[in-house]
Amino acid sequence: MTNRRKFITQAVLGGLGLSIGQAAKGATNGQSVTALPTVISTWNNLPANKKAWKVIKKGGSALDAVEQGVRVAEADPDDMSVGYGGRPDRDGKVTLDACIMDQEGNCGSVCFLQDIKHPISVARLVMEKTPHVMLAGEGALQFALENGFHRENLLTDKAAKSWEEWKQESHYQPVINIENHDTIGMLAIDKDGKLSGACTTSGAAFKLHGRVGDSPIVGAGLFVDNEVGAAVATGLGEAVVKTAGSFLVVELMRQGRSPQAACEEAIRRITSKQKGYQDFQVAFLAVNREGIIGAHAIHKGFMYALSREGGHEVVQASSSL
Ligand code: SD4
């Protein structure tokens, strides 16, 4: 965990006391709590959560909430795993993946998109304006430009510097460990129980040019089924794709598992089948249609931001190791 993250978590927990923390614990234990509406997102991006919460409280849809919420992370140069300021691939190019899904099962996605600050909004347009689900690379860029998005340089000096430092050793291997990622996956459920989700990332730092992770893949990085619940993933995308992670979590909930038990089982599938899991991080975050939350990671250090009536809080998740 970075010092920054540690500090923010402690500051937030200290500031808010136990009010919604108790609700979250109750929720993960399967007790009933006043849980709707709820906004949750991976890691500790409280500004993103707060934005989404504001949209919901103003009567906006869960879909608007998640789109607006994750745009905060996409625009934040200090979030080096998402949008503007994201770490580049091994060739120094920032390439972005994102997807969005609504309560009716509609979804849209972009992958390997360059030079566009808000891939989540392009993904939403793919969902709403095309007969397709996913656009990639040049085609996604062309579609974005045709729809009013503008080209921007997304490589900040800070991200370029970290790439320069990485090049000194150049392992040419994507790195996702416990320290260096903050991809945002957000789930929102409005007061009427309508669920939506969004996931957006610059992917694994210093990945091969052209690599696409789990985040834009519906069923891997994100899945929403309004009859059951929704899940998002963060961490090593290859490991998540191999187990169709978010879909798996939702299906386990459909079969009767609590969101917490479903996240734990999805992580267990990875740790029981995939070699080397001690060296990479994967985490799942889920919510069912009642607003009960589950979260579990391979390694310690995963946390999620939670917004409910009563406040906003960062909650530490359980882990297998
Ligand atoms: C990926 N799952 O591209 C993403 C990275 C991530 O926090 O979640 N980072 O593999």
Side-chain angles (χ1 to χ4, degrees):
M1 190 194 306
T2 61
N3 286 338
R4 176 177 159 259
R5 188 176 288 157
K6 220 183 234 161
F7 170 76
I8 292 173
T9 307
Q10 283 163 359
V12 168
L13 291 175
L16 278 172
L18 285 173
S19 54
I20 59 167
Q22 283 166 333
K25 274 207 192 96
T28 51
N29 290 336
Q31 295 161 13
S32 96
V33 288
T34 310
L36 302 188
T38 289
V39 175
I40 49 176
S41 64
T42 53
W43 305 106
N44 59 0
N45 201 324
L46 284 172
N49 252 53
K50 285 179 182 168
K51 176 71 191 185
W53 183 253
K54 219 176 187 176
V55 172
I56 292 244
K57 290 305 285 179
K58 280 193 176 153
S61 65
L63 185 67
D64 287 339
V66 296
E67 182 194 4
Q68 292 301 318
V70 304
R71 280 174 64 103
V72 172
E74 288 179 338
D76 178 0
D78 288 329
D79 188 329
M80 298 185 77
S81 302
V82 182
Y84 177 59
R87 289 191 185 82
D89 64 16
R90 71 173 196 177
D91 296 346
K93 309 263 192 251
V94 179
T95 76
L96 305 177
D97 296 340
C99 76
I100 193 160
M101 192 162 187
D102 73 9
Q103 75 279 355
E104 284 166 15
N106 299 309
C107 46
S109 159
V110 289
C111 64
F112 191 46
L113 175 62
Q114 296 180 59
D115 300 334
I116 299 289
K117 197 189 244 172
H118 290 298
I120 199 64
S121 297
V122 186
R124 182 167 176 175
L125 273 189
V126 172
M127 174 172 95
E128 291 179 339
K129 294 235 155 80
T130 80
H132 308 304
V133 162
M134 192 170 204
L135 291 179
E138 275 298 315
L141 177 62
Q142 186 187 330
F143 173 75
L145 296 174
E146 283 168 8
N147 282 282
F149 291 81
H150 302 290
R151 276 190 120 117
E152 284 174 73
N153 173 26
L154 304 180
L155 185 67
T156 58
D157 290 348
K158 193 170 157 195
K161 188 163 172 264
S162 91
W163 176 57
E164 292 298 339
E165 280 161 16
W166 171 81
K167 276 200 295 183
Q168 308 290 318
E169 292 191 22
S170 277
H171 285 312
Y172 276 19
Q173 201 180 345
V175 193
I176 289 211
N177 57 29
I178 310 148
E179 309 296 331
N180 69 351
H181 57 114
D182 309 78
T183 287
I184 190 160
M186 179 177 280
L187 305 172
I189 178 163
D190 67 22
K191 63 173 178 14
D192 302 320
K194 288 194 180 125
L195 265 164
S196 290
C199 188
T200 179
T201 188
S202 53
F206 320 128
K207 60 196 175 185
L208 288 178
H209 188 60
R211 180 265 190 188
V212 170
D214 60 315
S215 303
I217 299 178
V218 173
L222 168 70
F223 198 69
V224 177
D225 183 334
N226 219 82
E227 282 179 6
V228 179
V232 278
T234 180
L236 184 66
E238 284 74 3
V240 177
V241 170
K242 284 176 192 166
T243 196
S246 293
F247 182 72
L248 174 61
V249 171
V250 172
E251 286 308 296
L252 288 165
M253 292 195 288
R254 190 194 306 279
Q255 290 161 24
R257 304 225 193 180
S258 68
Q260 181 64 26
C263 290
E264 288 173 15
E265 172 60 16
I267 290 292
R268 199 196 61 78
R269 297 275 176 100
I270 293 174
T271 57
S272 63
K273 290 196 176 138
Q274 296 188 32
K275 291 196 184 89
Y277 67 88
Q278 297 88 344
D279 299 324
F280 63 78
Q281 175 69 308
V282 170
F284 292 107
L285 176 63
V287 65
N288 68 12
R289 48 175 296 141
E290 285 84 44
I292 310 258
I293 297 164
H296 193 71
I298 299 177
H299 294 274
K300 284 194 182 63
F302 176 59
M303 64 198 80
Y304 62 93
L306 166 68
S307 300
R308 279 195 175 140
E309 294 299 350
H312 310 272
E313 184 178 17
V314 173
V315 181
Q316 295 288 341
S318 57
S319 64
S320 297
L321 296 181

